[in-house]
Amino acid sequence: MSENITSTDEHKQQMQEQQQQVRAKIAQAKTRRGIIIYLYGNGKGKSSSAFGTLIRSIGHGKRGAVVQFIKGKWKTGEQAIFRQLGVEHLVMGTGFTWDTQDREQDIAAAEAVWNQAAPLFRDPAYDLIVLDEITYMFKYGYLSIAAVSEVLQARPAQQNVMITGRDPIPELLEIADTISEVKEIRHAFNHGIKAQKGIEY
Ligand code: ATP
Ligand code: MG
């Protein structure tokens, strides 16, 4: 038998210690409030994680909203489901900035969707709001991070927000409660594999 394999008694003792540590941590978490979750990075899985969380939330009878920046020209699978689930869905709808190539039009579209979204952050009926791909708006200077941050911080106490986008925006890193970096290890597209319906969009 290898030295790494613990005996049944040792295993039991280790698990009991671990259980005590976990229970102590659970006992320490006493605050109940909504959080900001920020998912950034160059790997695949940010938006789909946000939508997965939204599905989880709706499964518990909670109310959700999705605000999508950049995207909008493709018919995504999630858009159809949002409609079916009664999720409020706001879309900038201009497509990628490298396709529009029109700064003024992009700024007007960004401001228009943000003006529609801002009231959601004053409405306690919304339990989870996803701001998908909003980091591009700050990167290109289409929206003011200070103004958005102020609205987010003044939101109802129990409201949760999920923010996705590739860039680590310092002001968002400062106000987020949970932050994950999704790092590309490999992506099929970079090996010549076409984007698939139901997987990428
Ligand atoms: P998903 O929506 O699949 O969760 P994401 O939100 O993490 O992806 P984005 O940066 O928003 O990623 O990119 C959106 C699209 O680009 C998705 O179709 C995704 O599969 C694809 N994509 C994500 N990361 C990469 C990458 N590293 N290389 C090529 N394509 C990528
Ligand atoms: Mg995304």
Side-chain angles (χ1 to χ4, degrees):
M1 194 191 275
S2 141
E3 282 178 29
N4 291 334
I5 298 177
T6 52
S7 71
T8 306
D9 285 349
E10 277 171 340
H11 176 80
K12 190 168 182 185
Q13 195 188 340
Q14 277 173 11
M15 289 302 117
Q16 278 173 349
E17 283 167 13
Q18 205 173 318
Q19 186 185 49
Q20 276 171 10
Q21 284 167 11
V22 172
R23 284 184 177 168
K25 273 198 175 167
I26 292 171
Q28 270 172 17
K30 292 196 173 75
T31 311
R32 269 182 210 277
R33 67 164 174 83
I35 59 170
I36 297 178
I37 303 172
Y38 183 21
L39 306 176
Y40 75 91
N42 63 357
K44 172 173 164 58
K46 302 173 294 293
S47 298
S48 41
S49 166
F51 302 148
T53 308
L54 190 73
I55 295 285
R56 180 180 276 174
S57 175
I58 287 166
H60 286 291
K62 294 179 183 288
R63 187 156 178 204
V66 176
V67 188
Q68 279 188 297
F69 295 86
I70 304 283
K71 296 265 177 66
K73 290 215 159 162
W74 299 345
K75 258 198 164 353
T76 61
E78 59 266 23
Q79 284 171 3
I81 289 294
F82 294 156
R83 243 193 328 272
Q84 286 174 32
L85 295 178
V87 171
E88 178 98 8
H89 186 211
L90 306 173
V91 190
M92 190 165 138
T94 49
F96 297 109
T97 46
W98 48 90
D99 287 333
T100 65
Q101 299 167 10
D102 185 336
R103 190 176 155 82
E104 294 311 312
Q105 185 197 307
D106 283 351
I107 291 175
E111 284 174 350
V113 75
W114 175 247
N115 288 339
Q116 279 181 283
L120 304 177
F121 295 97
R122 293 191 288 271
D123 186 346
Y126 289 92
D127 301 288
L128 174 60
I129 303 171
V130 177
L131 293 175
D132 190 38
E133 321 291 354
I134 196 172
T135 61
Y136 290 100
M137 302 299 106
F138 308 128
K139 186 181 176 186
Y140 297 128
Y142 293 176
L143 290 178
S144 147
I145 177 64
V148 170
S149 174
E150 198 179 313
V151 169
L152 295 187
Q153 288 179 277
R155 74 193 191 283
Q158 301 308 321
Q159 190 177 76
N160 293 285
V161 182
M162 287 192 83
I163 300 172
T164 83
R166 292 201 160 202
D167 301 291
I169 305 291
E171 291 87 342
L172 292 179
L173 293 170
E174 213 166 282
I175 63 171
D177 301 283
T178 294
I179 303 170
S180 297
E181 179 183 1
V182 180
K183 182 179 159 196
E184 184 196 310
I185 304 298
R186 184 178 299 147
H187 195 289
F189 179 70
N190 298 328
H191 299 273
I193 299 172
K194 271 183 173 298
Q196 294 182 65
K197 203 179 203 176
I199 301 293
E200 333 296 338
Y201 62 94

